[in-house]
Amino acid sequence: MRTAPSLLLLLASAACARPAQSGTAAPANPPKAPPDYTTARTGDVHDFDYFAGGWTTAQRRLKARGVGSDEWEEFPATLCMTPYLGGMATVDELYFPTKGWAGLTLRTFDLAKRQWSIYWVSSETGLLGTPVVGGFQGDRGEFYGPDEDAGRPVAVRYRWTRLDADHARWEQAFSYDGGAWETNWTADFTRADPAGVCEAGRPKRL
């Protein structure tokens, strides 16, 4: 992990967009995993280079997870991402103006394993959450890991898709029983002028 004071300050003060994470340790009861779940997927240190800068996003989230709900809520957000160590680490902050909170993502690349670990910091706990790991093949990235959702063990899947130079999509899905995945959160990103949406590398508060 980068130990520069500016990065440590971000980690200490950030809030999080993903409420499912339980803390720094893996869940006590590992979840059953679907057949396509894997923590062996690899990638490249430059997988997230394209994501540097400022973005506006359209967020879509299930109102209730793991109960078969099909009711969604939609809300905007702004994201600003900065790479460190030649791209081996990236930090972005995601601000939800209509929600009144924000989130921080830390990604680190293991050169030996050729894998990304993606962490979130929760505003409710202030802890660095259990990571999902993986990488990109072409324009599609997949990342998997164990976690808990309101005390229930879950297998977690992130999917990142580079649509073009100025658009990207992220999806989060949980599996509660080792069977089907339930997609519970999506975000569609459109590149924005950092001068308009970012200030000192963070989303502007308007």
Side-chain angles (χ1 to χ4, degrees), residues 100-123:
W101 48 283
L104 183 142
T105 307
L106 169 67
R107 305 178 190 89
T108 62
F109 188 75
D110 186 321
L111 288 173
K113 293 182 179 180
R114 310 295 299 176
Q115 283 189 316
W116 286 97
S117 294
I118 303 179
Y119 303 84
W120 288 78
V121 180
S122 172
S123 60

Side-chain angles (χ1 to χ4, degrees), residues 13 41 70 85 95 109 128 134 155 180 194 206:
S13 62
R41 183 181 293 269
D70 60 359
L85 303 177
Y95 173 55
F109 188 75
L128 203 64
L206 302 178

